[in-house]
Amino acid sequence: MLTLEWESEGLQTVGIVVIICASLKLLHLLGLIDFSEDSVEDELEMATVRHRPEALELLEAQSKFTKKELQILYRGFKNECPSGVVNEETFKEIYSQFFPQGDSTTYAHFLFNAFDTDHNGAVSFEDFINGLSILLRGTVQEKLNWAFNLYDINKDGYITKEEMLDIMKAIYDMMGKCTYPVLKEDAPRQHVETFFQKMDKNKDGVVTIDEFIESCQKDENIMRSMQLFENVI
Amino acid sequence: MAAGVAAWLPFARAAAIGWMPVANCPMPLAPADKNKRQDELIILNVSGRRFQTWRTTLERYPDTLLGSTEKEFFFNEDTKEYFFDRDPEVFRCVLNFYRTGKLHYPRYECISAYDDELAFYGILPEIIGDCCYEEYKDRKRENAERLMDDNDSENNQESMPSLSFRQTMWRAFENPHTSTLALVFYYVTGFFIAVSVITNVVETVPCGTVPGSKELPCGERYSVAFFCLDTACVMIFTVEYLLRLFAPPSRYRFIRSVMSIIDVVAIMPYYIGLVMTDNEDVSGAFVTLRVFRVFRIFKFSRHSQGLRILGYTLKSCASELGFLLFSLTMAIIIFATVMFYAEKGSSASKFTSIPASFWYTIVTMTTLGYGDMVPKTIAGKIFGSICSLSGVLVIALPVPVIVSNFSRIYHQNQRADKRRAQKKARLARIRVAKTGSSNAYLHSKRNGLLNEALELTGTPEDEHMGKTTSLIESQHHHLLHCLEKTTGLSYLVDDPLLSVRTSTIKNHEFIDEQMFEQNCMESSMQNYPSTRSPSLSSHPGLTTTCCSRRSKKTTHLPNSNLPATRLRSMQELSTIHIQGSEQPSLTTRPPPTTSK
């Protein structure tokens, strides 16, 4: 008998608890009371970043492009990034459109870091122009400097084997899976070994900027290929 | 590649310098840019509205009209712009596609006009952006259905070749409006369905008492009468079913269709009853079979379109109904369990088991509330009220979906009917416009001939009878005239009955065409049965009347004109004529009463 009583009592309590919870939820839904405190901050998310580049004349003076070339470049830039800056996501997206077969996100990441000279997480038009100016209109020395900067991931002035391996893997990733001959597992490593043999003069396991530039200047292929993209615009 | 990204190609190529120091082999040569044009603005003049864009913008999509050299065909040397004689509104969307890489579909635009424009500019509609693609596809499907509907009804009305008996019967069954016999059949079957249903209903009504026993239902009191009625109805239904079985082109498909199953189920009980003996055990089952007689009411769905739509709606909303059923079942089980345990404590409670509580839950959730099972404990009442509140919600949710589906299908059907009704008027208007243009041709021809005749006869008067026709009109007329000359026949206004003369003669004469037409029209109205031979015999009288009203000019021929569609039949006629009356027809002065 007692158990029956307890059962009914228990069920009554359960019923009352259910009603109370439901009414609380209803009030919360109606906005009269608030449970969580962090709802306000969601509103200010995604403040649009807007960046306007410097004047055309200034850019013309800074870079080696003519006014017309700058205009063409800016139009393309602004079309893709109306807000005036490229963040890493967009950068990766754009770059991957050129390499549909492989995965170019890693290499794009390194490229982004190379372009984003002030390391603020966004590439503005000035950064873009500065980079392109070096690559397309710069001297061989400047280009090699830029390439060294690209390979030196932690920007400490030395290229280690690990850094080079990362870069190499990223480049091979861009090719994708369907290649001929089929990509071997240790091909990047082999490639890094070849590179270090060529570049590392004092065999200390790292490549400094001077070693790099010196070795490249001795290699005819590299010298010739540096001139390849002069007439891109 | 997307549009804007093409602008980043220089960047990607420049970034390739990063690979150079690591490369093992020499690089291939860069492609030389032969036509190194400075980027220039080009002007696109679309029906007067000028759009300007960079040349490179357009060249992003080289397989379209604007991106390829095809646009050179539209280049206007004098104004140095590209002129397109198309809709500027849609061109706006097309040009935005080049600029942004996304093609949008404006909602206010007609779907076929938009499709035409896209086809003109060589753009595939598949690349419409996600934001507008659904809308585009929906409207396209609607339009296609509409056109198919029109085509179907056209085919139905215009296919009048001789059908076999079987095919006519099938058509009569499907569309009762095709012939009176079908209509009669339709109404007779409808009447007998009603009679049968009413009989079934009245059979069970208590009909007064036979002295000495309890009240009897009518069915047992007048069993003979009811049996006769039932027999008659089943006879009719059987005959109908057999006819329907004989007629369709695909019997197998017909047998599997729902209506045929209903037909069979409706008449089966009777035959089973005939075969069955008065065995006690079996007659119980036989009584159950009688229930199936009520399915005869479904035969009405052939007669009522609304019923068919309802059935179709239910079929198309099967998923919503399924969801409703599933959620209801879930809720019923939950609440029944809760109620059972809540009411377990109270004495003499009706909630003896969970399945017993099912009944309470269903009655409560559908807000019926019979009151035969009522919770007595407080917990039971609380949960009971929650149950009824949630019942309202669960049932109310899928219902609007079903309703909107029904409404959409119903309106679609109504629209189809309305379109069919309007179609006739529309076609009539179009026909009038067409005859108007052919009249214009004949009118101008008459004027042309008159001028010729005038020149020949040299009368100075009435020179300016002809209206000035536009260049296009005159060219069109010239074309028709050439056709006439080629075939040796000439056009007739709506009257295939008149004689056809080979018009090899230069001196065309004309007669007062209005009177001519009038007479010919009148006579054609009277004399146009399907056969042609009687018309021939009526010619003498006809030509007499017509030719008596000749103008005062010189010799003439009755100028007979034909609509192009009747040309073939007229060629036949013409051979008859030529054979029949060779000499006279070729001379300039035929006797007017020569039978043709």
Side-chain angles (χ1 to χ4, degrees):
Chain A
M1 211 49 202
L2 212 57
T3 45
L4 276 177
E5 261 185 46
W6 283 349
E7 261 185 55
S8 56
E9 290 269 338
L11 276 169
Q12 281 185 20
T13 353
V14 167
I16 293 172
V17 165
V18 162
I19 290 199
I20 292 177
C21 288
S23 49
L24 277 179
K25 196 77 188 139
L26 187 65
L27 287 176
H28 175 57
L29 218 62
L30 292 176
L32 295 175
I33 49 177
D34 255 324
F35 285 146
S36 54
E37 301 301 327
D38 52 343
S39 47
V40 185
E41 283 139 35
D42 299 335
E43 311 290 326
L44 295 176
E45 217 183 281
M46 296 313 290
T48 39
V49 175
R50 214 154 265 309
H51 181 89
R52 210 165 270 141
E54 299 178 21
L56 192 54
E57 291 81 12
L58 210 56
L59 277 179
E60 193 187 355
Q62 278 177 2
S63 70
K64 304 204 181 74
F65 291 117
T66 65
K67 255 204 187 132
K68 264 214 172 335
E69 291 171 338
L70 282 174
Q71 281 181 341
I72 296 177
L73 281 171
Y74 187 66
R75 282 207 299 271
F77 185 84
K78 182 96 178 165
N79 212 7
E80 205 57 28
C81 322
S83 60
V85 293
V86 195
N87 60 2
E88 194 165 337
E89 277 307 310
T90 326
F91 196 88
K92 283 185 177 160
E93 230 175 283
I94 293 173
Y95 201 69
S96 58
Q97 305 239 10
F98 294 105
F99 304 100
Q101 279 197 321
D103 176 27
S104 51
T105 42
T106 338
Y107 189 68
H109 169 75
F110 295 136
L111 261 186
F112 186 81
N113 285 337
F115 269 90
D116 185 16
T117 40
D118 47 1
H119 303 288
N120 59 352
V123 168
S124 65
F125 186 60
E126 288 92 346
D127 297 334
F128 186 65
I129 287 296
N130 286 334
L132 278 189
S133 173
I134 297 174
L135 286 173
L136 298 177
R137 300 273 188 268
T139 64
V140 177
Q141 183 91 353
E142 288 174 346
K143 289 182 191 175
L144 288 173
N145 227 338
W146 191 90
F148 184 84
N149 205 16
L150 174 69
Y151 300 147
D152 185 12
I153 298 178
N154 55 1
K155 313 282 181 250
D156 62 352
Y158 301 106
I159 303 180
T160 62
K161 281 202 176 155
E162 284 72 30
E163 289 175 342
M164 205 55 225
L165 191 59
D166 285 339
I167 299 264
M168 206 59 78
K169 278 210 197 121
I171 294 180
Y172 275 93
D173 277 343
M174 277 199 291
M175 282 298 295
K177 297 274 180 298
C178 318
T179 54
Y180 177 77
V182 180
L183 181 65
K184 293 203 273 280
E185 274 300 318
D186 59 346
R189 187 164 283 282
Q190 292 277 15
H191 208 143
V192 169
E193 292 300 324
T194 336
F195 179 78
F196 264 79
Q197 270 175 8
K198 198 164 48 173
M199 301 284 167
D200 193 6
K201 289 293 180 249
N202 56 0
K203 304 281 179 250
D204 57 354
V206 293
V207 177
T208 63
I209 177 80
D210 304 306
E211 286 176 342
F212 183 71
I213 293 181
E214 206 186 311
S215 322
C216 287
Q217 279 175 335
K218 292 216 186 81
D219 190 336
E220 263 189 42
N221 278 338
I222 296 179
M223 284 289 112
R224 208 178 346 183
S225 56
M226 283 292 161
Q227 318 291 340
L228 208 51
F229 296 111
E230 298 270 287
N231 59 344
V232 158
I233 298 188
Chain B
M1 248 182 358
V5 177
W8 285 65
L9 189 57
F11 154 73
R13 295 181 70 199
I17 287 194
W19 309 334
M20 297 303 136
V22 244
N24 288 335
C25 10
M27 292 290 138
L29 290 172
D33 199 353
K34 294 190 192 76
N35 304 339
K36 188 84 170 100
R37 276 188 304 223
Q38 280 299 320
D39 204 6
E40 48 175 357
L41 273 180
I42 61 175
I43 304 177
L44 301 160
N45 183 349
V46 182
S47 303
R49 215 196 285 185
R50 280 183 176 70
F51 298 87
Q52 292 183 326
T53 183
W54 299 107
R55 184 176 286 276
T56 46
T57 311
L58 291 183
E59 284 169 0
R60 286 180 187 157
Y61 296 100
D63 54 350
T64 58
L65 185 149
L66 291 173
S68 62
T69 50
E70 197 181 339
K71 62 178 183 285
E72 303 301 326
F73 285 101
F74 298 93
F75 188 66
N76 186 347
E77 288 293 340
D78 309 320
T79 52
K80 292 273 180 262
E81 57 188 21
Y82 293 89
F83 181 73
F84 297 95
D85 203 9
R86 312 284 301 190
D87 187 2
E89 299 290 328
V90 182
F91 189 76
R92 207 172 50 83
C93 299
V94 168
L95 199 52
N96 274 337
F97 165 62
Y98 286 91
R99 291 175 179 145
T100 61
K102 294 198 216 110
L103 182 62
H104 294 282
Y105 169 61
R107 281 175 171 75
Y108 55 81
E109 202 64 54
C110 165
I111 184 80
S112 41
Y114 188 74
D115 266 343
D116 285 341
E117 294 295 314
L118 283 190
F120 179 79
Y121 292 109
I123 298 175
L124 290 175
E126 269 64 38
I127 50 181
I128 290 183
D130 284 332
C131 40
C132 302
Y133 191 62
E134 214 179 293
E135 168 91 15
Y136 172 79
K137 270 291 175 212
D138 282 344
R139 301 237 338 227
K140 191 140 184 210
R141 199 176 13 100
E142 242 181 74
N143 203 33
E145 281 174 4
R146 195 171 301 160
L147 286 177
M148 222 167 47
D149 235 359
D150 277 351
N151 274 348
D152 275 347
S153 50
E154 238 180 62
N155 289 344
N156 281 345
Q157 286 169 12
E158 295 187 5
S159 63
M160 286 202 305
S162 53
L163 303 164
S164 71
F165 174 62
R166 190 172 152 184
Q167 281 170 327
T168 30
M169 211 155 69
W170 178 241
R171 265 188 81 210
F173 279 137
E174 292 299 298
N175 301 337
H177 305 284
T178 44
S179 66
T180 38
L181 189 61
L183 214 55
V184 163
F185 185 74
Y186 177 76
Y187 282 126
V188 162
T189 43
F191 173 69
F192 272 98
I193 295 174
V195 161
S196 161
V197 168
I198 292 177
T199 317
N200 286 344
V201 166
V202 168
E203 238 178 22
T204 60
V205 171
C207 230
T209 50
V210 172
S213 67
K214 60 176 173 44
E215 209 164 307
L216 280 179
C218 281
E220 292 183 20
R221 197 153 159 203
Y222 304 103
S223 55
V224 178
F226 278 105
F227 182 72
C228 290
L229 263 178
D230 206 20
T231 313
C233 293
V234 170
M235 285 291 121
I236 302 275
F237 293 155
T238 318
V239 165
E240 181 207 348
Y241 182 66
L242 288 174
L243 283 178
R244 277 188 204 269
L245 202 55
F246 166 67
S250 157
R251 287 210 185 104
Y252 182 59
R253 243 183 60 188
F254 172 72
I255 289 186
R256 287 194 326 182
S257 75
V258 174
M259 289 311 302
S260 110
I261 293 178
I262 290 180
D263 286 338
V264 171
V265 167
I267 60 180
M268 263 324 176
Y270 177 79
Y271 288 111
I272 295 179
L274 278 187
V275 169
M276 207 91 81
T277 57
D278 244 327
N279 203 338
E280 275 297 322
D281 309 319
V282 188
S283 65
F286 170 60
V287 165
T288 330
L289 268 184
R290 284 179 139 212
V291 167
F292 285 102
R293 288 189 307 176
V294 81
F295 276 90
R296 288 177 194 165
I297 206 171
F298 283 116
K299 288 162 71 82
F300 265 131
S301 71
R302 279 208 185 95
H303 298 232
S304 156
Q305 200 181 35
L307 209 58
R308 271 203 300 269
I309 293 177
L310 185 61
Y312 182 67
T313 312
L314 288 178
K315 200 162 58 160
S316 71
C317 301
S319 63
E320 277 82 30
L321 287 175
F323 163 67
L324 174 63
L325 216 57
F326 178 69
S327 55
L328 264 182
T329 315
M330 240 175 46
I332 287 173
I333 294 180
I334 291 176
F335 279 110
T337 316
V338 168
M339 290 307 294
F340 171 69
Y341 282 112
E343 285 290 303
K344 209 159 151 198
S346 85
S347 52
S349 121
K350 292 233 174 68
F351 294 81
T352 50
S353 65
I354 293 187
S357 321
F358 279 170
W359 173 244
Y360 168 76
T361 319
I362 292 177
V363 165
T364 314
M365 281 189 96
T366 52
T367 69
L368 270 179
Y370 286 135
D372 53 350
M373 280 166 87
V374 180
K376 292 196 172 46
T377 60
I378 297 185
K381 287 187 179 162
I382 291 176
F383 286 115
S385 45
I386 298 178
C387 171
S388 75
L389 286 176
S390 59
V392 168
L393 283 176
V394 167
I395 291 186
L397 281 176
V399 169
V401 177
I402 299 175
V403 164
S404 76
N405 258 358
F406 178 78
S407 157
R408 179 177 58 88
I409 297 175
Y410 188 70
H411 282 308
Q412 228 174 23
N413 248 320
Q414 279 197 326
R415 259 208 318 263
D417 288 339
K418 204 162 44 157
R419 258 206 313 277
R420 261 189 287 263
Q422 289 171 347
K423 209 181 155 67
K424 294 202 175 114
R426 233 181 85 211
L427 285 179
R429 276 203 301 273
I430 293 176
R431 233 192 325 257
V432 166
K434 277 198 186 142
T435 52
S437 68
S438 65
N439 278 345
Y441 168 58
L442 299 163
H443 198 76
S444 80
K445 199 165 95 158
R446 169 171 61 124
N447 294 336
L449 299 174
L450 174 56
N451 286 339
E452 272 183 44
L454 284 172
E455 283 165 35
L456 289 169
T457 57
T459 28
E461 60 198 79
D462 298 329
E463 271 174 8
H464 300 290
M465 266 188 66
K467 314 185 273 217
T468 45
T469 52
S470 69
L471 179 63
I472 288 189
E473 254 187 73
S474 51
Q475 286 174 339
H476 187 211
H477 296 168
H478 173 253
L479 184 67
L480 292 172
H481 203 172
C482 291
L483 179 63
E484 283 184 346
K485 282 280 198 292
T486 317
T487 55
L489 311 164
S490 52
Y491 282 105
L492 173 66
V493 173
D494 268 355
D495 194 342
L497 304 182
L498 294 186
S499 57
V500 179
R501 298 291 190 118
T502 56
S503 49
T504 53
I505 306 155
K506 270 194 187 173
N507 284 356
H508 274 226
E509 286 290 336
F510 74 101
I511 50 178
D512 190 345
E513 190 169 301
Q514 278 161 336
M515 296 306 252
F516 177 80
E517 282 174 27
Q518 208 175 24
N519 287 335
C520 300
M521 287 288 211
E522 281 173 338
S523 51
S524 71
M525 295 298 185
Q526 296 163 8
N527 296 339
Y528 188 68
S530 36
T531 58
R532 291 194 290 264
S533 33
S535 65
L536 288 178
S537 56
S538 71
H539 272 177
L542 199 57
T543 49
T544 329
T545 15
C546 294
C547 300
S548 64
R549 302 199 201 286
R550 287 175 221 157
S551 69
K552 301 185 185 74
K553 306 300 172 193
T554 54
T555 59
H556 51 271
L557 289 168
N559 209 352
S560 42
N561 310 300
L562 286 169
T565 53
R566 311 252 195 246
L567 215 51
R568 191 162 48 92
S569 54
M570 286 326 294
Q571 279 172 348
E572 234 182 313
L573 261 183
S574 70
T575 48
I576 300 172
H577 294 155
I578 293 172
Q579 282 167 10
S581 54
E582 294 145 359
Q583 302 306 332
S585 64
L586 290 177
T587 60
T588 49
R589 278 184 184 273
T593 55
T594 310
S595 63
K596 315 268 183 281

